[in-house]
Amino acid sequence: MATATGGVTPQPVASARATQGAFATALECARCHGTDAASLRDAAGRDVAPYALWSASMMANASRDPLWRAEVSVEVAATPSAAAVIEAKCMSCHAPMAHRDAQGAVSLALLDQGGSASLLAVDGVSCTVCHQATAPADVRATFDGAFALNGQRELYGPHANPRSMPMLNQLNYLPREAAHMTQSDLCASCHTLTTAALDPSGAPSGGSLLEQSPFLEWQNSVYNDQVAVPHAKAASCQACHVPTDDVGGSAIATPIAASRFGTPARSPFGRHVFVGGNTLIPQILRDQAAALSPQAPAAAFDALIAATRTQLQTRTAQVRLASSSRAGDTLELGVEVQNASGHKFPTGHPTRRAWLRLTVTDAQGRVVFASGAHDAQGRIVAGGTPLPSELAGGPHQPHHATISASDQVQIYQALMRDGAGDLTFLLLRGEGYLKDNRLLPEGWSSTHPTAAVAGPAGLGADPDFGAGGEVARYRVNAPASAGPYAVEATLLYQSLSPRFAAELFQYSTPEVAAFQTYYAAADRTPERVAQVRAQVN
C-alpha cells in the first residue's frame, strides 16, 4: 500500500499491546477492563466491558477509518506543500496518542509502519487519551484538539476511592476520581474544529472554516446542562454517547474491573458505546477486516450498526404531516421535521446529510408526485436519473422554501464555499458555508454567543425554518377528482453523501483507490430516520 506522500508500506496492523511515553494501547487496559464472566455485566448479564464496547466504535477506529484516510490524502494531493501540516492537524484528533508522543511529527505513513509508535497511532482515540485529559479552566482553549494531559500518569474516572494498586502494578498509572469525566467539556476539544484555509500553493488565504461544531450547537440548545437553570431535557454529551443505563433503560451497577480484583459494584457506569449516526464505516471495517485489521470481531460491528440504527430512529429527528390544504387542483402540504438531538442534525463533518423523500399517490395507486427518491447507490434521483447535484462538478441543491418539482429536494446539509464564494469539497479551501440548513436543535437562539459562528447559512427567506426544526412546504398538482391521496414523507440519512464521495474519487491516491473499492462493495442504502403516512383529499 503506497502512502499519499510516496513510498510503499505494509497493510494496516491490528491493535496490540504497547506502551510508550505517557500512553498505552487499549489492549493493555483490556487485561482488567475487558470482558469478564463474573463482572462487567449489566443486570441481564450483557457484556458492558469498556474495551469490548469501545473496540468497534468510530473512536477506536478513528485512524483505521478508510474514508478519513482518503480525505487526508486528497487534502495533501490538493496542497502538497502543506502535507506535514495537514497530516499533523488530522492526526491530532484521529491518532492523538501518536501525535502527542511525537510532538506533532506524524504522518499517514506512521499508521502502517509497525512498532510501538505505529501501534499508538492505529489505536485511534484510546483509553489513555481521554482518561488523562484534565478539566479545562476555559474550554475554548482546548478547541482544535488542544486538550491538556496531566503529565503525571494519572487516569481519571468518575468514581470515588478507586483502588490504585492493580493499575499501578500493571501499567504504572494512578487512578483518580474526577467529575469532569462526565461533563461535555471533555468532548469539546476534538468536536470543535476550525481549519485555516490555504491556497493551492499552501499559503494561508486568511479565511477559515468551522468544520465541526457539535459542542457549540449543544451549548445553544435546551440540552446545555451548564447554564444556571438547566432545562428538563438538559444532558451532557456522555448521557447519550456513554449512557449509564443498559439497553433496557435500567441503571447499570457493576464492578468496573475483572472479578479477580474483588472491586465493588459501581454506579453510574458508562457504556463505552460512543454510538453516533455512522453505519457505513462500521460495515466497511467489518467486511474489509483483512485489509483494515480492526480489533473488534464482526459481531461487535453488527451490534454497533444495530445500535446506531436504533439511535437514528429514536433520538435524532421526527416527521409529521403538519398541514394539508387545497386550492383548486393544487394540493399544499406542510411536512414538519423536528430535531430531537442535542445539536444540529446532521452534525459534525460535512460529508453527512439528511433529506426528505415525499411521495403522493392517487386513489388508483399512481404516483402523481415524488421528491427525494434514490437509487441503489444512494444517489437522489428524479425519474430514475441522478440529479445533477449528485454528480462531481455539478450544481448544488439549494434550500427550498417551497418544493413543486421532482428535481427539487429538501436536503439538510452543510456545503462549503471557498474564498470566491464557490462550492468546494476541500476542507482546506473552505472559508464558510454556501449552505447550512441542518436542523437546529430545540432552544437554539440567534442571540446566543455561538450563533454567529455556528448558525445556518444559505436559507434565503424561509419563515418555516427555526429552532427545533422546520416545516417543508410542497405544492403538488393533484385534482380532487383523483383523490383521496396517500402521502408518505420519509426522512433519510447518509454519513457520506454520494456527491462528496464522487468529488473524492476525482483524485488519484492509493487511499482514495482503496476506499473507492470498499465503498463500491458496501450497502449504500440510506438509513431511514423517521416516516409518516397520511391520507388527504
Side-chain angles (χ1 to χ4, degrees):
M1 175 179 174
T3 69
T5 52
V8 177
T9 59
Q11 289 296 307
V13 294
S15 265
R17 290 180 179 174
T19 58
Q20 182 162 306
F23 302 106
T25 57
L27 272 179
E28 294 283 10
C29 305
R31 289 189 283 176
C32 299
H33 300 286
T35 300
D36 184 88
S39 64
L40 294 161
R41 302 276 166 170
D42 65 17
R46 291 173 289 239
D47 191 354
V48 293
Y51 176 80
L53 298 178
W54 166 89
S55 62
S57 71
M58 292 305 301
M59 302 280 275
N61 294 288
S63 59
R64 287 189 184 87
D65 179 353
L67 171 59
W68 172 75
R69 292 189 180 204
E71 286 194 74
V72 176
S73 75
V74 165
E75 296 291 342
V76 169
T79 318
S81 65
V85 172
I86 293 168
E87 292 186 319
K89 176 79 169 181
C90 297
M91 297 277 276
S92 66
C93 284
H94 281 257
M97 293 192 298
H99 179 269
R100 293 297 180 101
D101 186 69
Q103 298 181 0
V106 291
S107 67
L108 278 181
L110 176 65
L111 296 167
D112 305 327
Q113 287 178 348
S116 292
S118 181
L119 291 173
L120 292 182
V122 82
D123 216 40
V125 184
S126 195
C127 319
T128 56
V129 176
C130 295
H131 287 274
Q132 286 189 87
T134 59
D138 181 353
V139 69
R140 293 169 297 181
T142 73
F143 293 169
D144 303 315
F147 56 89
L149 302 177
N150 60 59
Q152 299 173 337
R153 297 190 71 82
E154 293 180 347
L155 293 184
Y156 301 122
H159 303 298
N161 304 314
R163 294 188 63 184
S164 61
M165 292 312 297
M167 195 175 289
L168 281 169
N169 290 337
Q170 295 283 341
L171 291 171
N172 193 31
Y173 287 113
L174 177 66
R176 294 285 300 275
E177 179 187 7
H180 73 276
M181 294 305 294
T182 60
Q183 296 168 357
S184 296
D185 285 4
L186 181 69
C187 310
S189 179
C190 285
H191 293 282
T192 313
L193 176 62
T194 298
T195 50
L198 304 176
D199 67 22
S201 73
S205 71
S208 64
L209 176 78
L210 182 60
E211 184 249 302
Q212 282 199 46
S213 58
F215 177 76
L216 301 181
E217 297 156 18
W218 168 85
Q219 283 188 314
N220 190 3
S221 79
V222 298
Y223 298 93
N224 185 348
D225 64 357
Q226 298 176 342
V227 295
V229 183
H231 191 276
K233 293 183 179 180
S236 67
C237 304
Q238 291 89 328
C240 289
H241 300 286
V242 194
T244 57
D245 53 5
D246 62 27
V247 294
S250 299
I252 301 171
T254 179
I256 62 175
S259 57
R260 67 182 181 274
F261 296 112
T263 55
R266 298 285 197 176
S267 185
F269 177 92
R271 285 190 290 126
H272 287 53
V273 288
F274 300 106
V275 173
N278 195 335
T279 58
L280 175 67
I281 300 304
Q283 176 198 157
I284 289 174
L285 289 163
R286 178 197 65 195
D287 296 345
Q288 307 294 337
L292 299 174
S293 302
Q295 192 67 23
F301 288 111
D302 290 340
L304 174 64
I305 291 167
T308 301
R309 288 186 173 133
T310 297
Q311 173 141 300
L312 283 169
Q313 293 168 10
T314 60
R315 306 184 80 165
T316 57
Q318 302 165 347
V319 296
R320 72 181 186 93
L321 186 62
S323 64
S324 170
S325 62
R326 173 172 294 284
D329 287 344
T330 300
L331 195 59
E332 302 272 358
L333 302 171
V335 178
E336 184 177 13
V337 189
Q338 297 174 320
N339 183 359
S341 71
H343 39 61
K344 290 180 181 179
F345 180 73
T347 190
H349 198 55
T351 56
R352 304 163 186 172
R353 71 178 184 181
W355 77 94
L356 278 173
R357 181 181 68 201
L358 184 88
T359 304
V360 180
T361 307
D362 68 14
Q364 303 302 313
R366 295 171 298 200
V367 175
V368 300
F369 183 82
S371 165
H374 63 84
D375 63 15
Q377 299 179 51
R379 299 176 301 182
I380 299 174
V381 300
T385 302
L387 298 178
S389 55
E390 298 293 278
L391 308 176
H396 77 281
Q397 188 81 202
H399 177 82
H400 298 282
T402 301
I403 290 173
S404 58
S406 292
D407 60 356
Q408 298 172 339
V409 184
Q410 198 71 306
I411 306 176
Y412 304 108
Q413 61 187 161
L415 294 176
M416 299 177 288
R417 60 167 175 80
D418 61 19
D422 296 326
L423 180 64
T424 182
F425 290 86
L426 291 171
L427 293 173
L428 296 182
R429 296 292 184 270
E431 300 195 20
Y433 289 101
L434 187 66
K435 170 191 175 186
D436 183 358
N437 68 337
R438 294 173 295 171
L439 297 167
L440 299 171
E442 183 180 351
W444 186 89
S445 170
S446 61
T447 62
H448 190 275
T450 67
V453 294
L459 293 178
D462 187 355
D464 295 313
F465 187 98
E470 82 139 351
V471 176
R473 303 289 178 182
Y474 292 85
R475 186 174 295 125
V476 178
N477 182 33
S481 59
Y485 290 90
V487 176
E488 181 182 273
T490 307
L491 184 65
L492 299 169
Y493 172 79
Q494 291 169 323
S495 55
L496 172 63
S497 76
R499 171 61 183 275
F500 203 108
E503 297 289 346
L504 282 180
F505 299 154
Q506 300 305 297
Y507 288 82
S508 179
T509 73
E511 291 80 5
V512 167
F515 179 70
Q516 191 166 12
T517 299
Y518 307 150
Y519 183 69
D523 180 359
R524 285 167 278 165
T525 305
E527 296 294 341
R528 190 178 75 178
V529 175
Q531 187 176 69
V532 64
R533 293 187 179 98
Q535 182 173 292
V536 300
N537 293 311

